[in-house]
């Protein structure tokens, strides 16, 4: 079933979460171990991230460096199929512009369609390590908006080859990303929201937000999004802070501000066990307030820390 249908049918706020494919070499039980403990909270869908290839350097015996392009976390599509098969819930694969040309995208979508996957989160992806700006593939998409358009066209039965006869329409519900504190490349929040509207006009049916630690940032964002004429659901994304290192890593990687009160509490912690407790309590308060405000879904970024998400969900759902 489509995410948007789950939202329409739900009588109260839905619990959902995102998982990462395991590092290459691990088996599918690593995924099941991060889903099993959360099934008691009845997630109707689970997102699975996509990780594009990375350039790595290996030093050779002669001192030269060998450049290799590898995927450290392959398996998104297989994991989605396994989740739908084992848990009978919907999987939402993330699909990127980065690393795909239009033909690759079309073929990936055909695979997903054949597997009975009805949802995708359409994203641009970040620049490759070592590149300052995102560089699309030759004949690939530069912005998520254009990826959304391609998926929407396939939903109308329009494939790249216009001469295809009797082509079957796909039936994907398309989600896109939104940034309450602005995407780091956008010149202003209003400009970012204008671009967000282009994604919705191209066929996106809901928005999932980047993580945030101050609910006011989300509420203000939703207000601006509505003022811009965007009517689709805006799903808040929550991640509990878990280590002292997160104080610098999260703002750097996700362009988010941490409220002073949270920073002070984390700084005062004796160790990361105490930080984890602070992070869980903060996320519980955030989630309770979001639920009280009637948000459609609370989407948790688990990043492999399933115990933290379970502790939060136990207090909220
Ligand atoms: P876009 O919507 O294309 O926007 C990118 C930037 O370009 C923004 O600054 C926007 O304002 C600007 N822009 C958009 N359209 C135009 C235009 N027409 N002209 C000029 N500027 C424009 N990354 C992964 O690699 N794998 C994942 O699985 C993954 N999952 C994610 C899940 C969520 C919920 C979120 C919020 C992010 C996720 N990301 C993931 C990160 C994401 O790929 C990056 O944030 C990326 O930098 C932007 O992706 P986007 O889809 O928001 O891009």
């Amino acid at each position: 079933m489509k995410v948007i249908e789950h939202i329409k049918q739900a009588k109260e706020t839905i619990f959902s979460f995102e998982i990462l494919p395991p590092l290459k070499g691990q088996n599918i039980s690593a995924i099941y171990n991060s889903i099993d403990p959360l099934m008691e909270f009845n997630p109707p869908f689970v997102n699975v991230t996509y990780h594009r290839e990375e350039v790595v350097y290996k030093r050779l015996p002669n001192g030269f460096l060998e450049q290799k392009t590898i995927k450290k976390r392959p398996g998104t599509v297989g994991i989605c199929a396994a989740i739908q098969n084992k848990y009978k819930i919907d999987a939402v694969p993330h699909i990127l512009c980065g690393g795909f040309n239009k033909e690759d995208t079309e073929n990936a979508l055909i695979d997903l369609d054949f597997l009975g996957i009805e949802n995708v989160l359409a994203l641009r992806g970040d620049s490759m390590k070592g590149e300052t700006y995102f560089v699309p593939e030759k004949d690939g998409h530069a912005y998520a908006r254009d990826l959304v358009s391609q998926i929407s066209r396939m939903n109308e039965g329009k494939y790249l080859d216009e001469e295809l006869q009797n082509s079957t329409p796909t039936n994907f519900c398309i989600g896109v990303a939104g940034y309450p504190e602005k995407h780091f490349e956008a010149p202003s929040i209003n400009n970012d929201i204008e671009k967000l509207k282009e994604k919705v006009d191209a066929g996106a049916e809901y928005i999932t937000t980047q993580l945030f630690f101050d609910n006011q940032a989300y509420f203000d964002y939703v207000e601006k999004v509505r003022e811009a004429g965007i009517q689709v659901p805006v799903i808040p994304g929550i991640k509990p802070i878990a280590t002292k290192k997160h104080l610098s890593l999260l703002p750097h990687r996700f362009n988010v501000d941490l409220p002073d009160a949270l920073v002070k509490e984390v700084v005062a912690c004796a160790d990361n066990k105490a930080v984890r407790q602070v992070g869980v309590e903060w996320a519980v308060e955030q989630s309770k307030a979001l639920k009280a405000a009637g948000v459609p879904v609370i989407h948790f970024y688990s990043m492999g820390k399933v115990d933290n998400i379970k502790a939060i969900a136990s207090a909220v759902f």
Side-chain angles (χ1 to χ4, degrees):
M1 200 161 110
K2 295 178 171 192
V3 166
I4 198 70
E5 288 164 2
H6 285 298
I7 291 175
K8 278 184 194 146
Q9 284 186 11
K11 297 205 169 54
E12 51 184 27
T13 301
I14 291 171
F15 164 77
S16 89
F17 60 99
E18 170 184 296
I19 55 167
L20 278 65
L23 287 167
K24 193 182 268 187
Q26 295 186 25
N27 69 29
I28 191 79
S29 60
I31 287 295
Y32 299 152
N33 292 341
S34 59
I35 297 179
D36 287 345
L38 299 176
M39 285 309 289
E40 65 178 282
F41 307 107
N42 299 320
F45 58 89
V46 173
N47 284 48
V48 184
T49 56
Y50 191 93
H51 300 259
R52 65 178 299 188
E53 70 284 2
E54 290 176 38
V55 176
V56 293
Y57 294 92
K58 190 178 156 196
R59 189 168 290 282
L60 300 173
N62 62 8
F64 286 125
L65 289 177
E66 183 187 25
Q67 180 182 310
K68 274 190 169 178
T69 305
I70 58 161
K71 268 193 187 177
K72 289 187 180 170
R73 292 181 184 273
T76 301
V77 175
I79 291 168
C80 285
I83 288 174
Q84 295 208 157
N85 187 37
K86 180 172 161 75
Y87 299 100
K88 312 294 176 216
I89 61 173
D90 286 293
V92 185
H94 294 189
I95 178 160
L96 303 184
C97 303
F100 286 72
N101 64 29
K102 290 176 195 158
E103 180 76 19
D104 298 332
T105 299
E106 184 168 276
N107 292 335
L109 290 166
I110 289 170
D111 280 342
L112 294 174
D113 186 46
F114 286 174
L115 286 167
I117 290 165
E118 293 179 305
N119 296 283
V120 288
L121 191 74
L123 301 146
R124 188 195 69 180
D126 284 323
S127 56
M128 293 267 280
K129 270 189 197 140
E131 283 176 352
T132 312
Y133 295 105
F134 174 80
V135 181
E137 287 300 295
K138 187 168 175 290
D139 199 32
H141 299 301
Y143 296 107
R145 172 200 64 186
D146 304 323
L147 174 57
V148 173
S149 295
Q150 183 176 2
I151 305 167
S152 295
R153 281 197 302 276
M154 282 182 72
N155 280 348
E156 293 168 8
K158 294 179 190 155
Y159 288 63
L160 293 173
D161 178 356
E162 287 168 9
E163 288 170 18
L164 274 189
Q165 298 290 314
N166 304 319
S167 48
T168 316
T170 53
N171 188 28
F172 291 110
C173 171
I174 310 167
V176 289
Y179 302 83
E181 295 174 68
K182 186 180 92 61
H183 183 261
F184 71 101
E185 291 169 23
S188 71
I189 185 76
N190 289 335
N191 184 272
D192 206 19
I193 292 174
E194 274 172 33
K195 303 300 172 195
L196 178 67
K197 184 159 189 307
E198 290 181 11
K199 295 195 275 193
V200 174
D201 290 345
E205 291 179 84
Y206 69 96
I207 297 155
T208 302
T209 76
Q210 183 59 280
L211 54 93
F212 57 87
F213 292 92
D214 179 355
N215 282 356
Q216 200 53 47
Y218 168 80
F219 293 129
D220 291 348
Y221 182 66
V222 175
E223 206 178 307
K224 278 186 180 334
V225 162
R226 300 291 177 239
E227 278 167 15
I230 301 171
Q231 297 305 336
V232 301
V234 183
I235 298 176
I238 296 290
K239 176 188 158 45
I241 192 163
T243 64
K244 283 207 174 188
K245 221 173 150 190
H246 279 161
L247 284 180
S248 54
L249 189 132
L250 297 175
H252 176 69
R253 186 170 296 170
F254 300 110
N255 196 43
V256 291
D257 263 359
L258 274 66
D260 282 333
L262 175 60
V263 175
K264 277 186 190 147
E265 279 192 59
V266 172
V267 168
C269 286
D271 53 27
N272 278 340
K273 192 166 170 241
V275 176
R276 175 186 176 271
Q277 192 52 34
V278 166
V280 166
E281 283 167 16
W282 189 274
V284 166
E285 292 313 310
Q286 269 195 284
S287 305
K288 281 185 175 168
L290 289 166
K291 197 170 170 220
V295 299
V297 180
I298 305 180
H299 184 69
F300 291 93
Y301 294 102
S302 77
M303 293 175 180
K305 299 272 187 296
V306 64
D307 293 350
N308 295 359
I309 307 302
K310 187 174 165 101
I312 300 160
S314 303
V316 179
F317 290 93

